[in-house]
Amino acid sequence: MTDIAARYIAVWNETDAAKRRHLVDELFTEDATYTDPLADVAGRDGIDMVIAGAQQQFAGLVFSVPAEADAHHDVARFHWHLGVPGEAEPLAIGFDVVRVDGERISSVLGFLDQIPG
């Protein structure tokens, strides 16, 4: 699951639209869902649009995973930070819970612990 979390964060950090879409297609099942306080979408197109929107809103910031994923069966949870590269304090902190089907994510439930503003 640590690899899944790393691949997931890499998708959120990929700013080239074509490369990001390729990563989304590789990582998520065709009918994957993504739900957080700001979005509720199904399918790869919807997930890609949510990520693109977040990148536009938080241009120049990067996601990181501060600790290993905690997992059992086909479910994992991991914390993430969003911040300015090289700065110690993140601007946003949250955690996501993912369900996997084989090597792909079938659902994401996202939670926001700290948001800018």
Side-chain angles (χ1 to χ4, degrees):
M1 290 294 195
T2 299
D3 179 59
I4 292 283
R7 291 171 54 209
Y8 176 77
I9 293 300
V11 169
W12 282 86
N13 286 329
E14 181 54 65
T15 57
D16 179 281
K19 289 179 183 177
R20 183 185 62 245
R21 182 53 195 246
H22 177 73
L23 294 174
V24 166
D25 290 345
E26 285 186 336
L27 182 59
F28 292 92
T29 61
E30 193 171 326
D31 59 347
T33 59
Y34 177 91
T35 304
D36 72 14
L38 307 173
D40 186 11
V41 299
R44 293 174 181 157
D45 290 343
I47 292 168
D48 191 41
M49 287 175 30
V50 167
I51 295 170
Q55 288 178 349
Q56 195 171 41
Q57 183 176 2
F58 301 109
L61 303 180
V62 296
F63 286 91
S64 62
V65 179
E68 285 193 37
D70 179 26
H72 61 82
H73 297 86
D74 61 350
V75 178
R77 68 177 176 158
F78 50 89
H79 283 89
W80 52 260
H81 290 172
L82 176 65
V84 176
E87 289 193 13
E89 290 297 316
L91 297 173
I93 298 172
F95 77 91
D96 289 351
V97 177
V98 300
R99 181 174 299 275
V100 298
D101 181 2
E103 295 294 316
R104 291 187 167 166
I105 295 174
S106 61
S107 69
V108 178
L109 298 173
F111 296 85
L112 304 173
D113 297 326
Q114 172 185 313
I115 56 173

